[in-house]
Amino acid sequence: MGKPRLIILIRHAQSEGNKNREIHQTVPDHRVKLTSEGWKQAQAAGLKLRSLLRPDDTLHFFTSPYRRTRETTEGILNALTSSNPAPSPFPRHTIKVYEEPRLREQDFGNFQPGSQEMARMWSERAEYGHFFYRIPNGESAADAYDRVSGFNDTLWRSFGDDDFASVCVLVTHGLMTRVFLMKWYHFSVEYFEDLRNVDHCEFVVMKRSQENQKYILQNELRTWSQLRKDKEEIREPESPIPVRKKWIGYQDGNDAEARTQQARRKNTADLFADDVSDAQQVEQEDVRGESGKFSGTLTSIEDRSNGRYYSAVTPPDYGQRGLPSREKPPSPELPIPNEGRDGGGSRSGAPSRTGSNESDDASRRTARSSMAMALNGQLGGSSSPHRARADALGDQSDVDDDEVP
């Protein structure tokens, strides 16, 4: 018949050695049998295989000679050929089963030593590398690769037989499944060591392509690197805090060069102060609400001390429309500390203009007046007092936001 349409690798069901590793100290590895749960897994695997097959399919089984793989094969065949719940199209006498010693488990060296010595050996293997580390008195994965390579060659030659089945099933072990795939698909050593083990009675399906007759792996193999990546993403979620940006203009009015960037934050008192001796006015424009009513003037300024641009809205209370006045209405005095983070100073603790020792009393009164109006909700027009208050407090409450120098 030629090349089979499916090659299916199945790891053995749960064994007593999987449930209790210390059993290998007294029972030879090839004599370890299935648990009661393992027999259930084998029966379920037989029903799953039956659902994947076509009524006209023929089957060849190749199984490791270890007891746990032979019992798994027996459980699969019992479910596959059973007349329950319906007559099976696969009579037992039509299925060929071969024992193949080259599919046996990696040799771990006769009876295994105590748990402490085994723990030391597993740790040493992890440091040395799973593929090349040779178990004392046993094999390395590289040794297992050599014998699997010979089996692959034999299997490939068998595809030329006229009576070869349409579905080939290999019942083997976890490491041998990965070694088989490594040989067939030319995996690198690094990728082999990154692969995680397959589960008990998990199906690894290779399907022949009708276009080029090559076998396409139908499974997405699990890797340790992807597992670590998934855990890191769960442990370190992205910050939900959005980055606030401010408009930046240019003195020459070149709109094509206008851009947006995050600017160094200034405290509220500095933002609304009219003492702009250290700044240069860039542009002014009217601000109107949804009803078209004039609500203030947008002023953009350049801070010459650091070369950055800032913008602020001057409420209509400060002067005539479009022409903000330096004469402000009186307001209650607020105590402003001389310097520090909570007094409106810079984030580094340097004194701000409102807390400096300058002799310009008018500038201090201006800043205090602006801050007082902001905290009282009077800086956004009568339609948005709460928004103005929140904006005023924002410069103090969001002190943990990152700054871009």
Side-chain angles (χ1 to χ4, degrees):
M1 184 173 182
K3 298 169 67 174
R5 69 178 188 90
L6 292 177
I7 300 176
I8 303 176
L9 294 93
I10 305 176
R11 184 190 176 192
H12 63 81
Q14 184 192 67
S15 70
E16 292 181 341
N18 298 127
K19 195 172 182 180
N20 178 19
R21 290 188 176 183
E22 294 183 357
I23 196 174
H24 294 290
Q25 298 176 20
T26 56
V27 178
D29 193 20
H30 63 278
R31 293 181 184 173
V32 175
K33 59 184 179 181
L34 294 184
T35 63
S36 57
E37 177 63 25
W39 278 105
K40 295 178 182 178
Q41 292 174 350
Q43 292 281 339
L47 296 176
K48 180 179 179 179
L49 178 60
R50 186 169 172 173
S51 67
L52 294 177
L53 299 178
R54 300 171 182 171
D56 59 342
D57 274 329
T58 56
L59 293 104
H60 280 178
F61 274 75
F62 295 86
T63 179
S64 161
Y66 279 33
R67 180 173 178 175
R68 54 184 177 273
T69 49
R70 288 189 289 115
E71 289 182 347
T72 300
T73 302
E74 188 65 26
I76 292 174
L77 290 174
N78 287 340
L80 179 64
T81 59
S82 174
S83 298
N84 186 21
S88 174
F90 309 105
R92 181 68 175 264
H93 69 274
T94 64
I95 301 175
K96 295 182 179 180
V97 180
Y98 302 93
E99 278 194 9
E100 178 50 69
R102 288 174 291 184
L103 290 179
R104 70 185 185 276
E105 176 64 293
Q106 177 184 3
D107 192 342
F108 288 97
N110 303 324
F111 293 108
Q112 294 183 7
S115 56
Q116 291 185 351
E117 176 60 20
M118 288 301 299
R120 184 203 64 78
M121 188 165 55
W122 297 146
S123 177
E124 185 178 66
R125 184 177 70 160
E127 294 180 3
Y128 191 89
H130 284 215
F131 187 74
F132 293 109
Y133 182 83
R134 180 173 282 109
I135 305 295
N137 300 318
E139 288 182 307
S140 66
D143 296 328
Y145 178 91
D146 291 340
R147 53 182 165 89
V148 164
S149 298
F151 169 73
N152 281 16
D153 293 341
T154 302
L155 183 65
W156 184 263
R157 289 193 297 268
S158 301
F159 292 166
D161 297 342
D162 294 335
D163 61 346
F164 197 85
S166 63
V167 176
C168 176
V169 181
L170 310 180
V171 183
T172 181
H173 307 264
L175 182 135
M176 298 308 296
T177 298
R178 288 173 282 155
V179 167
F180 181 92
L181 295 175
M182 180 184 182
K183 168 60 179 176
W184 193 283
Y185 292 107
H186 307 286
F187 292 162
S188 67
V189 172
E190 290 77 14
Y191 185 64
F192 167 81
E193 293 186 337
D194 192 32
L195 289 175
R196 297 171 60 191
N197 204 0
V198 295
D199 294 332
H200 296 295
C201 284
E202 179 179 352
F203 283 39
V204 178
V205 181
M206 301 162 59
K207 185 176 182 179
R208 189 187 69 205
S209 171
Q210 295 296 332
E211 297 179 359
N212 55 20
Q213 300 299 306
K214 293 184 178 181
Y215 287 90
I216 309 301
L217 185 62
Q218 304 298 301
N219 301 63
E220 183 177 351
L221 302 178
R222 299 182 295 273
T223 61
W224 293 108
S225 57
Q226 185 61 44
L227 178 63
R228 288 190 294 268
K229 182 179 178 181
D230 294 341
K231 289 183 177 180
E232 290 174 359
E233 290 178 354
I234 296 175
R235 186 165 55 248
E236 299 179 2
E238 295 183 0
S239 173
I241 302 176
V243 178
R244 295 191 294 177
K245 298 183 178 180
K246 292 186 178 181
W247 174 88
I248 292 182
Y250 289 83
Q251 185 174 359
D252 58 7
N254 188 354
D255 293 337
E257 296 182 358
R259 58 192 176 90
T260 303
Q261 78 176 29
Q262 184 181 6
R264 182 180 295 276
R265 304 179 65 182
K266 299 172 70 71
N267 69 74
T268 308
D270 286 342
L271 199 60
F272 289 99
D274 275 359
D275 182 6
V276 292
S277 59
D278 291 335
Q280 177 180 357
Q281 180 174 312
V282 176
E283 185 179 348
Q284 285 187 335
E285 61 180 2
D286 293 348
V287 178
R288 299 180 181 275
E290 296 181 357
S291 62
K293 183 178 179 181
F294 175 72
S295 58
T297 302
L298 174 64
T299 302
S300 301
I301 61 175
E302 175 190 0
D303 191 338
R304 292 175 175 173
S305 63
N306 55 26
R308 288 179 170 79
Y309 294 83
Y310 305 93
S311 59
V313 176
T314 304
D317 309 70
Y318 280 11
Q320 299 178 356
R321 171 179 163 183
L323 298 173
S325 171
R326 290 182 176 275
E327 297 181 2
K328 304 175 181 59
S331 61
E333 295 287 334
L334 289 178
I336 305 293
N338 288 334
E339 58 183 359
R341 301 177 186 272
D342 296 332
S346 67
R347 188 168 181 177
S348 63
S352 69
R353 185 181 299 113
T354 59
S356 65
N357 293 324
E358 299 175 359
S359 59
D360 189 356
D361 295 336
S363 298
R364 297 183 184 180
R365 288 195 298 272
T366 294
R368 295 190 184 105
S369 173
S370 301
M371 176 67 79
M373 296 183 68
L375 295 177
N376 289 330
Q378 300 174 2
L379 284 187
S382 58
S383 63
S384 58
H386 299 292
R387 178 180 179 84
R389 182 178 178 86
D391 290 343
L393 293 176
D395 287 329
Q396 301 292 336
S397 61
D398 294 339
V399 69
D400 291 333
D401 285 353
D402 291 336
E403 297 180 356
V404 179

